[in-house]
Amino acid sequence: MRHPIQRLLAIPERFLLAAAGPNIYCHRISDGSLVSSWTKSAASSAEVLPTSTKKRKRSSEGGDSSKEDGRPAKQSSGFPSVIKLAQTHSRQHVVAVTDDDKCVRVFSLGTNGQLELVNERCMPKRPCAVAISSDDAHIICGDKFGDVYALPLLEPSPDPASIEPSLAASEPASTIDESTEVVPPGPDEIVHTLHNKRAREQQFRDAPKPPARTTAKPDSQAQLLLGHVSMLTDLEVASGRDSRSSKARNYIISCDRDEHIRVSRGLPQSHIIENYCLGHKEFVSRLCIPDSFPDILISGGGDDELYIWDWQSGTLRQTVDLSSLFRAAMSSDVFPSLHSNHMKTSTEPEAGENGHVAEKQSKNENATTPASAAQSPGPSAAGSSANRVAVSGIWTYRNRSLASSTDVRSETSHILVACEGRPALFIFNLDSTKCISPSQTLPLQGNALDVAIFEDQGVMVVSVDNLHQPWSVGEVRQESIEPAVLLQCFQLKLNNGALVWREEPDSDVIKQINEQGSFEMPTGSLQNLSNMLYSVEKLRKRGAEY
């Protein structure tokens, strides 16, 4: 049972980074060979993992811990899985975020593909979103508590000449003397009552010993930039011009569980809110700014539509329905389905009212669902959780590989959308009027997890879930596929003057990565894996589970 690859990162023309659990693998994109890898062992992650004495209590036997409200505490798998990957604009450093230990790690990426850990810093709360400032000087990191911090990419080394001799000769403030007795604050002479006196004596008896120093601790260099009153879900760093002064500015765009998209100024004026993009009725989980049109924002979450914004003015430009694409994909025989076929009800027709259902094609053919089928009514499943939209990823592609062709405009751009628990990738065209329209629906061999795009080669790599049934986030596959399909490769092709994505099932690069890019999972870790892979739908405040 191979661990799925939950995160991908494309280093243009050079490498593909793949994160499987706590491991990060660096593959050469030319031949798929494994260049280097990094992992955080369970033992070392336990040392980094901070413990909370505020929300948990231990039983008198020192056994299981539980929350104050009596519910069992969430158990850690022991491995800090990589949940985010980002790269600097210079392509020289990679930032990885891990969940259980709340750490942000910076790696240097050599020209030969070697990953070297530069620094690791723990955040006060669990990070859930990360971006890099335009000058590569700061990491913009958001956590689930709703706060956004700025951390220096590289920790500045102290200048010995700038340290005063008196301070240099003195003992560092961080040094802890184990022999020093810990005295609770407050002088003895202010204690007047017998009750307070006994309480103070109890404090002396229960005073903890000084904690042992660890290499990873909450980072003191983290600068708080802004905060949401709700759970933060994603953020983007953008550039634009001030509408009043025409001055070039940097902006931080963030979204949360409460349907809000907030546009704030970048460093050092991040406390200034420029505007809000309001219109979502459910949570907002993903944001994307297309490279070809940096003045528009595409957002998605728990609503049935994608939203396209003019983010500098907060104006909604367009909405595009996703639920119709779901119905067309579910009714098409091209897409994988559950072995029990319980995603369709007994009252569902086999085709739409107009018969616009993609024709069944053999697996050897690179089949896609046409746009006409995507817009068909499809099967009726109103009120079913199977048709709920939970956008897990939005990516942008700007055509560069075929830009010199006379048949294709160099301005052609694509928007790619993945939804949680769906074995499909929805592709939209972004035209010169800054509007998007459905183009293709690519069938996948498992639920889509992440996408990496090599624009210069016109290659797209998609990681798929090889353990769970397609269209499900909880049901395990009855029969494992050997060899395991962890990645699928698609190539951009010309078809009658139009750009289409076609699968390359015989790619030697992907075959080699599928063999080397993961590890065998330990027994009994599937539940923890499901919680890590599928967390978007849990943001919904109303409605049943899958």
Side-chain angles (χ1 to χ4, degrees):
M1 188 168 60
R2 303 284 297 281
H3 194 291
I5 296 176
Q6 72 267 13
R7 285 293 173 264
L8 293 173
L9 181 63
I11 309 298
E13 301 181 358
R14 298 166 59 195
F15 308 108
L16 174 67
L17 296 185
N23 304 335
I24 302 177
Y25 304 91
C26 182
H27 297 271
R28 186 175 285 109
I29 194 60
S30 58
D31 55 8
S33 60
L34 180 62
V35 179
S36 63
S37 62
W38 178 89
T39 185
K40 184 73 172 178
S41 64
S44 58
S45 67
E47 296 174 0
V48 175
L49 185 64
T51 59
S52 174
T53 59
K54 191 174 184 179
K55 293 186 178 180
R56 297 188 182 183
K57 58 182 179 180
R58 289 193 175 271
S59 62
S60 58
E61 293 82 4
D64 297 336
S65 60
S66 60
K67 294 185 178 180
E68 291 181 351
D69 58 2
R71 293 178 298 167
K74 182 179 178 180
Q75 298 296 324
S76 171
S77 61
F79 290 90
S81 298
V82 177
I83 57 174
K84 295 291 180 182
L85 284 176
Q87 61 180 319
T88 59
H89 301 86
S90 64
R91 318 297 186 194
Q92 296 179 358
H93 293 89
V94 174
V95 178
V97 177
T98 50
D99 52 2
D100 283 349
D101 57 3
K102 309 176 187 177
C103 273
V104 178
R105 293 178 172 87
V106 178
F107 299 86
S108 63
L109 182 63
T111 55
N112 56 354
Q114 292 297 319
L115 287 171
E116 181 179 353
L117 181 63
V118 177
N119 59 62
E120 58 179 5
R121 287 161 285 183
C122 286
M123 302 300 294
K125 301 292 182 180
R126 182 170 297 188
C128 60
V130 66
I132 310 297
S133 62
S134 58
D135 58 357
D136 285 349
H138 293 89
I139 303 171
I140 311 300
C141 181
D143 61 30
K144 289 190 174 182
F145 198 69
D147 294 331
V148 178
Y149 294 86
L151 296 86
L153 179 70
L154 302 176
E155 292 180 319
S157 57
D159 185 5
S162 63
I163 302 178
E164 298 181 7
S166 60
L167 295 179
S170 62
E171 185 180 6
S174 59
T175 302
I176 298 176
D177 186 1
E178 296 286 347
S179 62
T180 303
E181 181 182 3
V182 179
V183 180
D188 292 333
E189 54 268 17
I190 67 171
V191 178
H192 301 288
T193 66
L194 180 61
H195 175 77
N196 288 346
K197 184 177 180 179
R198 291 176 177 173
R200 183 168 175 78
E201 292 174 352
Q202 184 67 29
Q203 288 179 346
F204 275 100
R205 289 193 295 268
D206 297 342
K209 293 182 179 180
R213 298 182 64 184
T214 58
T215 57
K217 56 185 178 180
D219 188 78
S220 59
Q221 297 178 346
Q223 176 187 357
L224 180 61
L225 301 181
L226 57 94
H228 287 241
V229 296
S230 179
M231 181 186 297
L232 189 139
T233 54
D234 199 10
L235 62 85
E236 287 281 344
V237 175
S239 299
R241 291 194 173 273
D242 193 306
S243 58
R244 294 177 290 272
S245 62
S246 299
K247 180 181 178 181
R249 292 188 183 277
N250 291 324
Y251 298 88
I252 299 176
I253 307 176
S254 52
C255 60
D256 60 31
R257 188 185 181 188
D258 283 346
E259 309 95 36
H260 299 148
I261 300 176
R262 171 178 167 177
V263 181
S264 308
R265 289 187 183 181
L267 289 168
Q269 296 179 318
S270 55
H271 60 281
I272 299 178
I273 301 175
E274 288 290 333
N275 58 65
Y276 286 90
C277 299
L278 302 178
H280 280 273
K281 301 178 182 62
E282 290 286 350
F283 62 88
V284 187
S285 56
R286 292 296 179 267
L287 302 174
C288 178
I289 298 179
D291 296 334
S292 53
F293 298 105
D295 57 336
I296 67 172
L297 172 72
I298 301 174
S299 63
D303 293 295
D304 289 340
E305 302 87 12
L306 280 180
Y307 287 69
I308 297 87
W309 307 87
D310 182 344
W311 58 266
Q312 288 190 278
S313 63
T315 305
L316 179 63
R317 298 178 57 92
Q318 182 189 5
T319 60
V320 179
D321 185 30
L322 282 175
S323 59
S324 61
L325 300 177
F326 278 5
R327 293 194 296 268
M330 291 173 61
S331 63
S332 172
D333 292 334
V334 175
F335 287 81
S337 59
L338 288 171
H339 64 89
S340 59
N341 204 26
H342 70 264
M343 301 297 292
K344 297 181 182 181
T345 62
S346 59
T347 59
E348 291 177 356
E350 292 298 324
E353 296 176 1
N354 299 325
H356 294 304
V357 177
E359 297 180 357
K360 183 175 182 179
Q361 303 180 23
S362 64
K363 293 183 179 179
N364 294 330
E365 298 177 358
N366 297 320
T368 58
T369 301
S372 59
Q375 296 174 350
S376 66
S380 173
S384 173
S385 61
N387 278 350
R388 284 185 173 175
V389 177
V391 176
S392 58
I394 305 176
W395 302 268
T396 176
Y397 168 81
R398 185 175 184 178
N399 174 44
R400 294 179 181 176
S401 61
L402 301 177
S404 59
S405 174
T406 57
D407 297 331
V408 181
R409 295 185 298 108
S410 59
E411 295 298 326
T412 303
S413 297
H414 285 162
I415 303 298
L416 299 86
V417 179
C419 295
E420 188 173 80
R422 304 291 182 255
L425 197 63
F426 305 101
I427 301 178
F428 301 83
N429 284 331
L430 176 61
D431 57 30
S432 58
T433 64
K434 303 178 183 179
C435 294
I436 67 174
S437 58
S439 173
Q440 284 181 277
T441 303
L442 296 178
L444 303 175
Q445 297 189 36
N447 298 331
L449 298 180
D450 203 2
V451 172
I453 303 175
F454 296 87
E455 292 186 346
D456 294 332
Q457 294 93 344
V459 173
M460 174 175 61
V461 180
V462 184
S463 63
V464 297
D465 186 355
N466 60 302
L467 298 180
H468 294 87
Q469 285 282 358
W471 301 101
S472 174
V473 299
E475 186 173 354
V476 182
R477 292 178 186 260
Q478 299 298 323
E479 297 180 359
S480 60
I481 301 176
E482 295 296 339
V485 178
L486 306 176
L487 301 179
Q488 290 183 251
C489 181
F490 295 85
Q491 180 79 45
L492 195 63
K493 304 286 186 179
L494 278 175
N495 184 13
N496 297 327
L499 288 173
V500 293
W501 292 94
R502 298 297 186 193
E503 186 178 3
E504 299 290 335
D506 298 327
S507 172
D508 294 333
V509 174
I510 298 302
K511 286 182 179 179
Q512 186 163 356
I513 295 177
N514 282 336
E515 295 176 358
Q516 301 178 353
S518 186
F519 61 94
E520 291 294 328
M521 290 182 55
T523 306
S525 59
L526 190 58
Q527 181 60 44
N528 292 324
L529 176 65
S530 301
N531 294 332
M532 187 266 293
L533 294 180
Y534 302 112
S535 60
V536 179
E537 177 62 29
K538 297 175 183 178
L539 297 172
R540 196 180 303 274
K541 297 179 181 179
R542 299 169 296 275
E545 297 289 339
Y546 271 86

